[in-house]
Amino acid sequence: MAIYPKLIMDALTKVRYPGTGKDLVSMGMVEDNIRIEGNKVSFSLLFEKPNDPFIKSVVKAAETAILTYVGEDVEIKGNIKVEARQAARPEPDKLLPNVKNIIAVSSGKGGVGKSTVAANLAVALALQGYKVGLLDADIFGPSQPKMFNVEEARPYMVEVDNRELIEPAANYGVKLLSIGFFVNKEDAILWRGAMASNALKQLIGDANWGDLDYFLIDLPPGTSDIHLTMVQTLAITGAVVVSTPQEVALADARKGISMFIGEKINVPVLGLVENMSWFTPAELPENKYYLFGKEGGKRLAEEMNIPLLGQIPIVQSICEGGDSGTPVALNPNSITGKAFQELAENVVKQIHYRNEHLDPTKRVVVTKK
Ligand code: ADP
């Protein structure tokens, strides 16, 4: 007897998804990948969530329907693949059990100051008394070792509870690991896909991060498989998106925000940081020159209904601080230091707010200093 995809589809219309009472085909759960080789039939069923309680019973019912309506000799058992629209969310506490909050720092475009913001945010949080770790996951340009002046550091192994763990480098009160410690800067870009994902997973799971209030991840710009790996590996508390006020940067930031709040990634956006908001020359401190347009980030935040966490001016010392390995946030009384302190306070506030109001079941509570 010849088997056709339509016969399979017809059989699957007889199976109902218990959650809605509608059949699998009209629910759009049957993927367009039915393969038939002789008697062997395989295809995928698409569920909304990876932990859908009905997965087993629906797969069983689908197998039975095919054997009943298409033919008893169809080889179907074990050939139905289960897929989920939403990424599998890791159980909080599994990896990094002693880390209270995980913040992904991201940008739509490269060169907008994402790494600079991540470094200074980490330093500002540490100055406020929090325990802070930073993972530099930007495989396109791991710059944190330079910004923290630990370029020469070579993370070593330590034994903790009978496990060999990588000891992060540390400076300015921030523990740091970077993909840059393990490869030459020029080669980092070759670390795509599975290789980069595995290396990063190791830097998360096999490192001695210890107790942390905030664990920041400096993600690569744009949208990549690294983003997906990170959300599948860690229960990320929220994302901070960095953009300049320039239209082209904002367009990409918008895409980045949509990616985070989209079904697949599904990570709350804590807010937007507008970097390079204006330029103020040292000799004319009252003047603000809006080189990349005025308040574009503020408008985008309003439009996307997310908080504006901070506006950071263009200041030469920010760039120099990055190059020399002394982040400006180390001086909390300078104009730039104040801007990063304010940013850190707003991030903490957003996380408190979320922990208290929005998602009490999933998120852990921020410890007091
Ligand atoms: P990204 O991580 O988005 O690629 P970086 O943080 O590496 O961007 O920043 C790109 C360059 O811009 C660096 O040289 C950095 O020092 C500089 N920079 C970033 N933000 C500012 C700022 N607010 N003022 C002056 N220079 C800045």
Side-chain angles (χ1 to χ4, degrees):
M1 180 201 65
I3 308 172
Y4 300 103
K6 172 138 189 348
L7 289 176
I8 305 295
M9 287 303 255
D10 286 348
L12 293 172
T13 58
K14 315 280 188 198
V15 181
R16 275 197 245 183
Y17 175 71
T20 57
K22 288 191 200 150
D23 75 85
L24 302 188
V25 176
S26 49
M27 287 276 298
M29 290 172 67
V30 185
E31 291 263 67
D32 192 15
N33 63 353
I34 300 180
R35 284 188 60 170
I36 297 162
E37 292 159 62
N39 269 358
K40 187 175 167 196
V41 174
S42 57
F43 59 91
S44 304
L45 284 179
L46 184 64
F47 290 81
E48 193 60 35
K49 294 189 173 136
N51 57 350
D52 186 312
F54 299 119
I55 289 179
K56 264 195 182 157
S57 56
V58 168
V59 169
K60 187 89 199 112
E63 285 172 4
T64 310
I66 288 166
L67 295 177
T68 309
Y69 295 102
V70 183
E72 273 176 17
D73 55 346
V74 177
E75 269 179 56
I76 182 68
K77 206 164 161 30
N79 295 341
I80 299 178
K81 210 170 146 219
V82 171
E83 288 177 13
R85 251 185 256 274
Q86 291 181 11
R89 296 306 306 270
E91 295 275 315
D93 295 341
K94 266 202 174 154
L95 271 177
L96 301 180
N98 302 319
V99 170
K100 302 202 171 61
N101 298 285
I102 303 173
I103 302 170
V105 183
S106 154
S107 70
K109 226 169 86 69
V112 298
K114 166 185 58 61
S115 299
T116 304
V117 168
N120 282 285
L121 175 59
V123 170
L125 286 167
L127 280 181
Q128 288 180 17
Y130 295 107
K131 294 193 186 110
V132 184
L134 172 61
L135 174 67
D136 181 6
D138 189 349
I139 50 166
F140 300 104
S143 50
Q144 296 299 353
K146 190 175 177 63
M147 285 200 266
F148 277 82
N149 198 19
V150 290
E151 264 184 306
E152 300 309 318
R154 289 289 164 262
Y156 51 90
M157 303 299 280
V158 285
E159 198 181 307
V160 183
D161 299 335
N162 291 326
R163 281 184 69 203
E164 288 280 312
L165 297 178
I166 307 164
E167 181 66 26
N171 205 0
Y172 314 130
V174 177
K175 287 187 179 179
L176 172 70
L177 275 179
S178 168
I179 197 109
F181 286 140
F182 301 89
V183 280
N184 291 330
K185 214 170 171 179
E186 309 75 56
D187 300 335
I189 196 151
L190 303 173
W191 278 54
R192 298 278 177 89
M195 204 157 109
S197 296
N198 286 335
L200 289 171
K201 276 188 202 161
Q202 213 180 358
L203 295 189
I204 293 167
D206 299 339
N208 186 29
W209 292 106
D211 289 339
L212 293 179
D213 297 306
Y214 293 99
F215 182 68
L216 275 61
I217 307 172
D218 183 3
L219 285 171
T223 55
S224 71
D225 44 2
I226 300 288
H227 293 76
L228 199 57
T229 305
M230 288 297 117
V231 294
Q232 286 170 344
T233 309
L234 289 171
I236 294 176
T237 314
V240 168
V241 179
V242 182
S243 179
T244 66
Q246 199 180 5
E247 266 320 313
V248 285
L250 292 168
D252 287 349
R254 189 178 284 125
K255 279 188 218 152
I257 294 165
S258 306
M259 170 194 70
F260 278 113
I261 55 183
E263 272 180 355
K264 201 159 181 197
I265 299 271
N266 194 19
V267 163
V269 174
L270 298 173
L272 185 85
V273 181
E274 188 188 84
N275 187 32
M276 312 195 190
S277 296
W278 57 78
F279 169 70
T280 300
E283 57 283 8
L284 293 167
E286 298 306 311
N287 291 22
K288 288 181 178 175
Y289 297 95
Y290 296 93
L291 303 186
F292 295 128
K294 195 176 172 185
E295 302 197 322
K298 191 171 170 215
R299 279 196 305 279
L300 177 64
E302 280 163 8
E303 180 199 314
M304 307 231 32
N305 204 17
I306 59 170
L308 180 71
L309 296 168
Q311 289 177 303
I312 314 287
I314 303 171
V315 183
Q316 199 175 336
S317 62
I318 295 183
C319 185
E320 288 169 355
D323 288 343
S324 66
T326 46
V328 288
L330 286 172
N331 179 0
N333 297 321
S334 63
I335 293 180
T336 48
K338 277 198 189 111
F340 284 115
Q341 279 298 328
E342 213 176 289
L343 168 64
E345 280 162 25
N346 285 335
V347 169
V348 171
K349 262 190 227 154
Q350 279 306 317
I351 290 183
H352 271 284
Y353 178 79
R354 279 174 189 277
N355 284 339
E356 279 163 23
H357 295 94
L358 297 183
D359 206 357
T361 52
K362 265 200 212 142
R363 300 295 166 211
V364 280
V365 179
V366 184
T367 42
K368 300 284 174 288
K369 278 183 256 177

